[in-house]
Amino acid sequence: MMEHEANANPSHSKTTGLPRKRFYRARAHSNPLSDSHFPIPVSPSQVDYSVHYPQLFPSPDKFDGSKSIEFADVGCGFGGLLISLSTVFPESLMIGMELRDKVTEYVKERILALRASNPGQYENISVVRTNSMKYIPNYFEKGQLTKMFFLFPDPHFKEKNHRRRVINLHLLDEYAYVLREGGIIYTMTDVEELGVWMNSCLKGHPLFEAVTKEELEADPVVKLLSTATEEGQKWRMLNLVPWNSGPSCPFGQEGGGAKKDGNGEGKELVEFSLHFPPLEHLPPFP
């Protein structure tokens, strides 16, 4: 059946049934501040889980809120990380968020093909076309997520375009809102200046602290960051390691992210986590 469908659809491989990227090419980056036209849920309660996870939620009526999305891959690209995470965390729901329409369609087709050829697998991942810099609170409740991924984001080199960067102090407020305490932000880039920028933003935000080297080494996700994504694979082929934005992390060292907890001073730190410091430690309102 899959072979017949693949033959009938030239955009899919005849042998694997998977979509072929050359039919879904798009610009490398999009302007996140431009107006795009796609449906946006009014609130997280309006997200239709039956569309994204039909095997788990056959109809909207079956969603009772007991299980919700935990991982968000922001700017998921062609979905390599999502697919790898799916089998590592089969009980966790995860979603990729991508602004480019053709790339989003590719990831949809890729997931559908994997589900068809691997019954019972990949039912916990999905993708949505949206602008994460504008609509994160429309998709996730307060403290809902445990992991957010920002891998190889657009560096927006020009200073006047720095406001378009997906990691900045203002957006970190929103990410902190949707992350639960202890939730982790993972970052990776092949642009050193952007790595320094993301590191500075995360260090400067009162709700994020760095993750220790021991926590990093024990995290099964870290090993996937430079192997599961298409950009990471390119760097591996070149025998190079991209920049990760953890503090005290020299250029070329592996591992990157951000967590919600502690101050971590005096340690070799490579991730950040979300935490809630005592109110007296927060900076005063202007």
Side-chain angles (χ1 to χ4, degrees), residues 23-40:
F23 291 95
Y24 298 87
R25 291 297 178 190
R27 295 181 61 181
H29 302 288
S30 297
N31 180 4
L33 301 184
S34 64
D35 292 325
S36 300
H37 302 285
F38 40 74
I40 303 297

Side-chain angles (χ1 to χ4, degrees), residues 28-32 151-157 164-166 189 194:
H29 302 288
S30 297
N31 180 4
L151 308 185
F152 301 97
D154 190 334
H156 293 293
F157 289 106
R164 299 181 182 179
R165 289 179 170 177
V166 72
T189 180
L194 179 61

Side-chain angles (χ1 to χ4, degrees), residues 5 11 14 25 39 42 62 77 88 102 109-110 126 137 148 155 158 182 187 198 211 227 238 253 258 278:
E5 291 177 356
S11 66
K14 294 181 179 179
R25 291 297 178 190
V42 176
K62 297 293 184 181
V88 178
K102 288 185 178 180
E109 294 293 327
R110 186 178 183 183
S126 187
M148 296 184 75
K158 295 180 180 178
T187 64
M198 293 192 292
V211 174
T227 59
L238 294 172
Q253 181 175 332

Side-chain angles (χ1 to χ4, degrees), residues 86-259:
S86 178
T87 54
V88 178
F89 300 92
E91 300 302 317
S92 298
L93 298 183
M94 49 195 83
I95 195 163
M97 311 182 83
E98 176 59 52
L99 183 56
R100 296 167 293 173
D101 55 349
K102 288 185 178 180
V103 177
T104 304
E105 189 61 29
Y106 172 87
V107 180
K108 286 182 181 177
E109 294 293 327
R110 186 178 183 183
I111 292 172
L112 290 174
L114 286 170
R115 288 174 178 174
S117 59
N118 302 272
Q121 295 188 53
Y122 305 105
E123 301 292 348
N124 62 330
I125 57 174
S126 187
V127 66
V128 62
R129 186 187 178 211
T130 191
N131 188 336
S132 304
M133 292 182 67
K134 293 183 178 181
Y135 303 118
I136 281 284
N138 294 67
Y139 287 91
F140 309 116
E141 302 278 4
K142 179 180 179 180
Q144 177 177 331
L145 299 178
T146 60
K147 298 182 187 297
M148 296 184 75
F149 300 90
F150 300 87
L151 308 185
F152 301 97
D154 190 334
H156 293 293
F157 289 106
K158 295 180 180 178
E159 186 173 352
K160 68 177 183 179
N161 290 333
H162 284 182
R163 63 198 177 104
R164 299 181 182 179
R165 289 179 170 177
V166 72
I167 296 288
N168 62 53
L169 286 175
H170 299 295
L171 286 174
L172 284 176
D173 290 342
E174 290 192 5
Y175 304 153
Y177 178 82
V178 298
L179 277 168
R180 68 186 62 169
E181 186 168 1
I184 298 177
I185 280 181
Y186 298 84
T187 64
M188 180 172 281
T189 180
D190 49 6
V191 178
E192 182 176 3
E193 189 270 331
L194 179 61
V196 172
W197 164 281
M198 293 192 292
N199 174 37
S200 175
C201 289
L202 287 162
K203 285 183 67 176
H205 196 283
L207 291 182
F208 287 94
E209 68 166 5
V211 174
T212 64
K213 181 179 179 180
E214 290 72 25
E215 290 176 290
L216 180 70
E217 292 174 346
D219 189 345
V221 170
V222 173
K223 299 178 179 62
L224 298 176
L225 299 183
S226 58
T227 59
T229 65
E230 284 74 11
E231 290 293 333
Q233 290 170 9
K234 292 177 185 176
W235 279 83
R236 286 291 180 183
M237 290 173 61
L238 294 172
N239 228 7
L240 299 171
V241 179
W243 170 271
N244 294 274
S245 66
S248 305
C249 180
F251 182 68
Q253 181 175 332
E254 288 193 67
K259 166 185 170 186

